[in-house]
Amino acid sequence: MTHRIAILSAVLAGALLLSACANTVRGVGRDLGNTVDATGAAVRDVAE
């Protein structure tokens, strides 16, 4: 019984870590998109 609890705990901990990584990757994608937009705006401002 203790072995099953340990396995279940490990699986749940792994699921939580994976969900946290998904949120982080999504956030990095948004940050990169904002950086590209800001860089494009700065280039347009300099070109004018």
Side-chain angles (χ1 to χ4, degrees):
M1 187 64 152
T2 304
H3 185 58
R4 286 185 182 180
I5 292 173
I7 290 174
L8 181 61
S9 297
V11 169
L12 289 174
L16 287 172
L17 287 173
L18 287 176
S19 67
C21 290
N23 289 333
T24 300
V25 169
R26 193 175 310 132
V28 168
R30 288 180 187 156
D31 290 344
L32 287 175
N34 291 338
T35 301
V36 169
D37 292 342
T39 303
V43 168
R44 284 189 298 275
D45 288 345
V46 169
E48 292 176 351

